[in-house]
Amino acid sequence: MDKLKSLDDLKNLREEARKTTTTRQSTENLIIVGMGTCGISAGARDVMNTILEELNKRDLSDVNVTQTGCIGMCEKEVLVDVKLKGKERVSYGRVTPQDVSRIIANHVINGQIVEDLVVGKPES
Amino acid sequence: MYRSHVLVCSGTGCTSSGCVEVQENLEKELSNNKLENEVKLIQTGCHGLCELGPIVIVYPEGTSYFRVEGKDVKELVEEHLLKGRPVDRLMYKEPISEEQVPYYNDINFYKKQSRIVLRNCGYIDPESIEEYIARGGYDGLSRALSEFSQDEVIEEVKESGLRGRGGAGFPTGVKWGFARQAPGDKKYIICNADEGDPGAFMDRSILEGDPHSVIEGMAIGGYAIGADEGYIYVRAEYPLAIKRLRKALEAAEGLGLLGENILGTGFNFKLKIKEGAGAFVCGEETALMASIEGNRGMPRPRPPFPAQKGLWGKPSNINNVETLACVPVILSEGAGSFNSVGTENSKGTKVFALTGKINNTGLVEVPMGIKIKDIIYTIGGGIQEDKAFKAVQIGGPSGGCLPEDKIDLPVDYDSLTQAGAIMGSGGLVVMDEETCIVDVARFFLKFTQTESCGKCTPCREGTKRMLEILERITQGEGKEGDVELLEELGSMVKETSLCGLGQTAPNPVLSTTKHFRDEYNAHILDRRCPAGACSDLLIYKILEDKCKGCTKCVKACPQDAITGEKKEVHVIDQDKCIKCGACVDQCKFEAIVLG
């Protein structure tokens, strides 16, 4: 790596470096992927990888991706929940890798729930 | 981007309990399950709960696993990382309530701590300068160089109330002021990492877990006093600390955070590591400097103080590892944030190495002013096997033993000194009812006696005579007047020794004769060791009314010292008995007791 020649260089490096450690910070923005046996066989791993790629592409480092086991709606796998800070948790079902960019762009970034994929959400 | 970070402790403690195998198996299993692009594996420094190592923490949830062995890894990866099902059996259980605690931050041991010095230990990869920088690292240095004059840095450190964490508790800012004012162009700043107290390992853990915080602290100190060169004096017995330090120095030089014209501010500063052979006396600043110069590590009288005439005759400033690790935080977050923690005359936090008969042994950082009781019972989880608390040795071999009635004492420099102990570097050894206090005093004195460099007579001869008396007492050959003699010798050694080693060596003896006089008397007058620890003073006897004559003890005795017919009361021949206690373990009727 090049030498840091000024205070700004250090600041810039810090901003860059922060992104790599955010997974260890508690953030209240979570995307939770159902990874029970049912989820995995329905393709949860591909969905999760697409989520990670999408977050990376959009530089959304304050969103953590985590996983959970089967919650009982096996026929609706892959299940993906989005829980944003201060908002209720919304569950999406039968999510495919193609749906991921919509969920992230509409819901995570703009706060608009992707209605056609929803299997459970708080009553408004 | 990774969805999960798995942190494996790789401090010296966890290394010896098998973290390397855990680490290797994790790598293997992650790759078997094709998780290597989703899950990032990070080696960290010490988390503190060394006894329960190796420790593995999974983020973002912060689920923590303890005593993880190589064979547990497959389950951990397949269950937790692949399927999101935490593995309950590897989670922490609170010692008293036995409640299972899945998350790192909810464990009492961690919850009651407040981490300034250890802020990064166990959280970042100590071999990655980027991770240190991501956590605000080198911000203190960049602020010092750009926003503060040299005097203002010293003022800020004075304002923070930081006092030396190496033992004596001298105000760090004032010390820096002396070195700054000393005339001369060439000055040195030195880090004393010659940690040698029995039971102490906080300096090692800081260097292993967060080496950059010490490097940054030294660079700030160097700027403040006008030094362009520094030495880290670290004992060669700490190979992992040295390895990580070297790596950290290289990385800091690589980024230009050490070297010429740092961050374009015109400040030049370089650091060197000096490996010491591990002599206790080299923790004394004048002996330490002699050792860096290539001479035998022996102290010399002060004045002149190092600030006037130090390394190679130049003005020098020596600070302890923990002291230096506080400095970056003071500069980046301000003196006010640091001095809001602690008591009136003891600001900030103190790292303790908690050892002895306690449930949670390990490394803890607590706010100054916390009660000893809270450290032992809340953080430490109480005494092992629910035995009774007897004493706590604070401050290592230079410190003192405090009895139960001092357990409510707040931990700060002044109240500890008043009670006859010292903060010291932070060793905290907890003893239960089965520890003999005379034997403890003998143990610590034996340590300092062996480590005495021998240059001055009071320390060389005085500690030897004191040790002889203590050995006699524990062997049941104490004489009336021995305690008075110990006290007289002790105060003489304290007053007349050349350096801190001799000046503090009698402390464990003097504090125990003061607080545990009865126990000394029992040894000397009654030839009895109340704790049942001094083997020369023990007599095993068989209680007639309890002995069933089962002959189990006869078979267990390696000396054939027990005789008696079947179904009749047995007896022990005291001349043959070697007090091994084998018979006690075999007796089902609790008929054999210490008398």
Side-chain angles (χ1 to χ4, degrees):
Chain A
M1 201 179 291
D2 289 342
K3 278 199 195 275
L4 306 172
K5 295 203 178 61
S6 67
L7 302 166
D8 283 337
D9 283 356
L10 177 65
K11 229 178 258 167
N12 294 339
L13 175 61
R14 174 164 307 128
E15 287 313 309
E16 248 342 274
R18 272 209 173 120
K19 289 176 196 159
T20 63
T21 56
T22 43
T23 308
R24 268 168 271 165
Q25 276 151 23
S26 64
T27 161
E28 290 174 55
N29 300 322
L30 278 178
I31 300 179
I32 307 146
V33 185
M35 297 279 255
T37 311
C38 45
I40 293 171
S41 59
R45 191 147 300 283
D46 285 343
V47 171
M48 167 160 341
N49 284 330
T50 315
I51 293 172
L52 290 172
E53 277 164 31
E54 194 71 25
L55 290 174
N56 222 4
K57 211 158 50 187
R58 295 175 183 267
D59 214 5
L60 293 172
S61 57
D62 67 332
V63 182
N64 279 342
V65 180
T66 177
Q67 55 182 5
T68 185
C70 174
I71 52 167
M73 291 192 292
C74 305
E75 83 286 0
K76 296 214 167 114
E77 292 281 6
V78 174
L79 289 162
V80 173
D81 292 8
V82 176
K83 168 77 186 79
L84 298 180
K85 187 180 177 183
K87 299 272 164 50
E88 293 292 332
R89 178 168 170 160
V90 176
S91 298
Y92 295 107
R94 296 212 170 103
V95 178
T96 64
Q98 288 74 38
D99 299 322
V100 167
S101 67
R102 265 206 304 152
I103 293 175
I104 288 180
N106 293 357
H107 189 166
V108 178
I109 296 176
N110 295 319
Q112 305 292 325
I113 296 172
V114 185
E115 299 290 348
D116 58 311
L117 293 171
V118 169
V119 291
K121 66 167 188 180
E123 287 171 23
S124 49
Chain B
M1 184 175 175
Y2 295 90
R3 71 169 162 89
S4 180
H5 285 191
V6 177
L7 277 60
V8 184
C9 180
S10 67
T12 294
C14 283
T15 304
S16 54
S17 54
C19 75
V20 177
E21 193 192 347
V22 172
Q23 173 92 23
E24 286 169 357
N25 288 9
L26 268 168
E27 262 168 40
K28 228 182 314 172
E29 286 298 326
L30 286 179
S31 132
N32 286 350
N33 290 288
K34 300 198 173 49
L35 288 170
E36 63 268 52
N37 296 325
E38 280 175 45
V39 180
K40 189 177 181 185
L41 201 56
I42 294 149
Q43 292 182 45
T44 69
C46 183
H47 287 274
L49 255 177
C50 306
E51 197 194 335
L52 299 181
I55 302 174
V56 174
I57 303 183
V58 182
Y59 285 99
E61 314 92 277
T63 311
S64 49
Y65 296 114
F66 295 87
R67 288 209 171 120
V68 180
E69 293 176 47
K71 63 180 168 55
D72 300 321
V73 170
K74 196 168 191 288
E75 182 182 354
L76 209 65
V77 172
E78 288 180 355
E79 286 298 301
H80 189 154
L81 294 173
L82 203 60
K83 297 175 195 156
R85 291 196 288 238
V87 182
D88 293 355
R89 67 178 180 88
L90 294 172
M91 284 176 190
Y92 180 81
K93 274 202 188 93
E94 291 292 350
I96 293 160
S97 63
E98 297 214 333
E99 183 195 346
Q100 194 176 58
V101 191
Y103 302 114
Y104 184 69
N105 293 331
D106 295 337
I107 296 171
N108 271 337
F109 178 81
Y110 292 109
K111 218 159 56 181
K112 307 283 175 189
Q113 294 190 42
S114 83
R115 296 190 149 209
I116 296 177
V117 175
L118 301 177
R119 62 196 179 279
N120 293 325
C121 274
Y123 188 82
I124 64 166
D125 175 355
E127 298 191 11
S128 160
I129 193 170
E130 285 84 5
E131 292 212 347
Y132 179 70
I133 289 173
R135 291 274 286 171
Y138 290 103
D139 183 45
L141 177 64
S142 87
R143 283 197 68 197
L145 296 179
S146 61
E147 296 172 31
F148 292 76
S149 70
Q150 289 168 277
D151 291 325
E152 282 166 354
V153 172
I154 292 175
E155 277 312 305
E156 194 73 12
V157 176
K158 278 186 191 163
E159 174 76 31
S160 75
L162 176 64
R163 295 169 68 173
R165 302 293 195 241
F170 193 79
T172 306
V174 176
K175 198 175 190 181
W176 285 12
F178 292 152
R180 160 106 176 101
Q181 283 149 20
D185 296 335
K186 182 74 187 175
K187 294 177 186 177
Y188 294 98
I189 186 161
I190 301 166
C191 170
N192 181 351
D194 187 70
E195 182 175 52
D197 292 11
F201 49 90
M202 42 277 152
D203 291 352
R204 191 199 73 213
S205 301
I206 296 166
L207 291 172
E208 283 175 4
D210 195 15
H212 285 287
S213 66
V214 180
I215 293 172
E216 187 184 352
M218 288 185 79
I220 294 168
Y223 169 70
I225 68 167
D228 66 349
E229 203 175 338
Y231 280 91
I232 304 170
Y233 188 91
V234 52
R235 48 175 55 209
E237 287 131 75
Y238 286 178
L240 187 60
I242 293 170
K243 180 188 143 210
R244 297 235 166 105
L245 260 178
R246 285 201 194 289
K247 216 162 182 175
L249 284 182
E250 264 170 44
E253 282 162 12
L255 284 181
L257 292 163
L258 288 175
E260 304 284 309
N261 191 16
I262 293 168
L263 295 173
T265 60
F267 173 58
N268 305 328
F269 187 70
K270 60 179 175 185
L271 274 178
K272 286 179 186 157
I273 297 170
K274 167 74 185 174
E275 288 180 41
F280 189 60
V281 72
C282 287
E284 290 296 328
E285 53 186 15
T286 53
L288 185 152
M289 292 186 302
S291 177
I292 295 180
E293 289 170 0
N295 299 315
R296 185 170 159 193
M298 288 204 288
R300 60 158 173 82
R302 295 176 305 180
F305 287 93
Q308 277 84 46
K309 220 166 176 291
L311 191 60
W312 287 302
K314 306 289 182 201
S316 304
N317 178 84
I318 302 189
N319 293 121
N320 162 270
V321 172
E322 192 185 334
T323 318
L324 289 164
C326 290
V327 170
V329 185
I330 293 168
L331 268 294
S332 69
E333 288 172 28
S337 122
F338 188 85
N339 69 24
S340 65
V341 182
T343 64
E344 197 185 341
N345 292 316
S346 304
K347 298 295 185 191
T349 58
K350 179 76 192 92
V351 181
F352 285 102
L354 207 54
T355 52
K357 303 289 179 64
I358 196 160
N359 280 317
N360 295 334
T361 56
L363 198 68
V364 303
E365 182 173 352
V366 290
M368 294 274 193
I370 189 174
K371 288 180 176 169
I372 298 175
K373 188 168 70 184
D374 291 335
I375 301 183
I376 296 174
Y377 287 98
T378 313
I379 297 173
I383 312 293
Q384 282 174 3
E385 295 169 24
D386 279 335
K387 295 216 167 103
F389 170 85
K390 178 163 188 173
V392 57
Q393 163 84 3
I394 299 189
S398 320
C401 277
L402 299 180
E404 195 173 9
D405 63 19
K406 295 274 187 285
I407 201 170
D408 277 318
L409 211 67
V411 174
D412 64 58
Y413 288 99
D414 309 311
S415 58
L416 287 179
T417 310
Q418 261 172 26
I422 54 164
M423 185 77 77
S425 54
L428 215 151
V429 186
V430 179
M431 301 162 209
D432 69 7
E433 55 195 324
E434 289 178 3
T435 317
C436 169
I437 216 76
V438 186
D439 192 50
V440 166
R442 186 197 58 80
F443 170 81
F444 281 110
L445 196 70
K446 172 126 182 133
F447 175 81
T448 37
Q449 202 274 318
T450 320
E451 292 283 348
S452 169
C453 78
K455 183 171 178 177
C456 69
T457 317
C459 176
R460 183 183 66 236
E461 301 293 329
T463 54
K464 187 149 181 68
R465 294 288 94 81
M466 288 176 74
L467 181 62
E468 283 166 5
I469 298 171
L470 285 168
E471 279 173 345
R472 253 197 6 241
I473 297 175
T474 55
Q475 285 158 5
E477 284 163 28
K479 293 191 287 233
E480 256 183 87
D482 270 353
V483 175
E484 290 74 15
L485 191 56
L486 277 173
E487 286 173 339
E488 195 188 329
L489 269 169
S491 60
M492 190 204 67
V493 172
K494 254 176 105 100
E495 280 160 27
T496 54
S497 288
L498 177 60
C499 79
L501 195 159
Q503 284 157 9
T504 58
N507 285 348
V509 183
L510 296 177
S511 67
T512 48
T513 56
K514 184 173 157 201
H515 295 304
F516 297 91
R517 185 65 168 250
D518 289 350
E519 204 161 329
Y520 276 88
N521 285 341
H523 281 76
I524 297 168
L525 304 175
D526 311 336
R527 303 272 182 259
R528 193 170 62 81
C529 173
C534 294
S535 62
D536 287 321
L537 294 173
L538 299 183
I539 296 174
Y540 283 100
K541 36 179 207 193
I542 296 177
L543 299 174
E544 286 183 25
D545 52 338
K546 285 197 173 168
C547 178
K548 305 274 187 235
C550 72
T551 74
K552 275 217 156 140
C553 57
V554 178
K555 286 175 200 136
C557 180
Q559 292 301 99
D560 294 328
I562 307 178
T563 49
E565 296 299 315
K566 253 190 189 174
K567 297 195 177 166
E568 278 175 32
V569 175
H570 286 43
V571 282
I572 302 175
D573 180 344
Q574 296 301 335
D575 290 336
K576 283 187 183 169
C577 174
I578 54 162
K579 291 144 188 166
C580 66
C583 51
V584 181
D585 298 338
Q586 287 299 321
C587 182
K588 277 195 282 189
F589 309 104
E590 291 175 357
I592 307 177
V593 291
L594 279 168

